[in-house]
Amino acid sequence: MKEGQGMKMKELSLFRDLSEEEITRSMGCSRSVVQEYKKNEYIFCQEDVPRKLYFILKGNVLLGQVNAMGRQNYAEYLKEGQSFGEKDLFLEHPAYEYYALARTKTTILSVSSHFFYSTCAKNCAYHKKIIYNMMRIFANEADQMSKKLYLLTCGTLRQRVSYYLMQQSGGNPQVELTMKREELAAHLNTTRPSLSRELSYLQECGVLKIQGRGRIAILDFGRLQDEIDKVEE
């Protein structure tokens, strides 16, 4: 898949092990809709009623939460192939506790909730496959939540920042931050000034180099790992 091309429907985890024909049939059965959103357009707002499950075919989505004081205290950045809205939909929450915003021009597949609560009249095999695939998606979400919980509780802010950078790098020294500073600070449960101080400290120590426009070069993976390991001392 070329950059900017987006995902094909069959590449989504929801349609794993389904043929092109089964995907086409399921699109009708599930009342699925593919919709494009402009940059900075809301997919849904905080306190909207959950009715659909969403999958990102192309672009990037920000899930955010604003408290009563107007301060953003939650932020999560999602990319192509990821889903959102599951928790509120299947736990039957009366309203979303967060909003979903297109960070770029974004294409979304939305699936009506009714599809997951019962099999269709024909008892189609693909319907069962999709429900099973949803269970796999939930298991993956639980795994990601476990990693995020570790990120938010693994010691000092410096250790959380180090862990996040190591996680994002995947072993590649060039890391592109997918969130703005304010969003990343909310994700790490801190403030923007505090986050900036920690990044500056790591740069002064020669661990990384801030290159601007959300890009960071990791210069010393060993020392970055040392910062993470301090939590276990």
Side-chain angles (χ1 to χ4, degrees):
M1 183 179 65
K2 295 180 180 179
E3 186 178 357
Q5 184 179 3
M7 297 192 72
K8 295 180 180 178
M9 207 75 69
K10 64 181 181 180
E11 294 176 302
L12 289 176
S13 299
L14 183 68
F15 297 129
R16 178 173 177 165
D17 297 328
L18 269 70
S19 67
E20 294 281 4
E21 181 181 357
E22 287 175 325
I23 293 173
T24 300
R25 289 177 180 272
S26 68
M27 287 287 289
C29 183
S30 63
R31 303 176 193 171
S32 299
V33 176
V34 176
Q35 186 172 349
E36 289 191 353
Y37 294 85
K38 299 176 183 177
K39 181 179 180 180
N40 294 327
E41 182 178 358
Y42 283 94
I43 299 162
F44 58 75
C45 297
Q46 199 165 317
E47 299 184 356
D48 279 355
V49 179
R51 301 188 188 279
K52 297 179 179 180
L53 179 62
Y54 300 90
F55 293 85
I56 306 172
L57 291 172
K58 182 179 180 180
N60 305 303
V61 172
L62 169 68
L63 303 183
Q65 184 184 70
V66 177
N67 62 23
M69 302 299 293
R71 179 178 180 272
Q72 181 165 297
N73 56 3
Y74 168 80
E76 185 173 0
Y77 178 91
L78 304 180
K79 56 187 178 180
E80 293 173 4
Q82 292 187 278
S83 60
F84 57 98
E86 304 98 321
K87 177 174 67 71
D88 299 275
L89 182 66
F90 291 104
L91 291 179
E92 300 181 339
H93 288 176
Y96 289 110
E97 297 177 350
Y98 55 91
Y99 62 84
L101 179 74
R103 286 287 308 278
T104 62
K105 184 178 180 182
T106 302
T107 304
I108 299 288
L109 168 70
S110 62
V111 184
S112 176
S113 61
H114 87 281
F115 183 74
F116 300 101
Y117 287 103
S118 63
T119 56
C120 58
K122 296 181 180 180
N123 200 29
C124 303
Y126 66 77
H127 198 143
K128 294 178 181 178
K129 286 182 183 178
I130 290 177
I131 292 176
Y132 176 75
N133 286 342
M134 277 304 307
M135 294 174 66
R136 293 177 63 96
I137 290 171
F138 290 151
N140 183 64
E141 287 287 330
D143 181 57
Q144 293 300 316
M145 185 59 67
S146 176
K147 291 177 180 177
K148 184 175 180 181
L149 181 61
Y150 175 78
L151 170 65
L152 294 176
T153 58
C154 68
T156 67
L157 175 57
R158 187 169 304 156
Q159 290 161 342
R160 299 203 301 271
V161 171
S162 300
Y163 183 82
Y164 178 82
L165 292 174
M166 186 72 79
Q167 198 176 47
Q168 289 295 109
S169 74
N172 189 332
Q174 294 294 325
V175 178
E176 186 167 348
L177 298 180
T178 53
M179 303 184 195
K180 296 178 181 177
R181 284 286 178 95
E182 295 88 347
E183 297 163 355
L184 180 54
H187 181 71
L188 295 174
N189 194 29
T190 188
T191 63
R192 175 172 176 167
S194 296
L195 172 62
S196 295
R197 280 195 297 271
E198 293 302 331
L199 289 173
S200 295
Y201 172 84
L202 292 172
Q203 179 169 251
E204 291 168 4
C205 292
V207 176
L208 56 81
K209 181 175 177 58
I210 301 170
Q211 299 178 320
R213 294 187 178 181
R215 290 185 180 139
I216 290 177
I218 298 178
L219 306 178
D220 193 331
F221 276 97
R223 292 179 65 184
L224 190 63
Q225 185 63 53
D226 287 344
E227 291 295 342
I228 298 170
D229 292 340
K230 286 179 183 178
V231 72
E232 299 177 354
E233 292 180 354

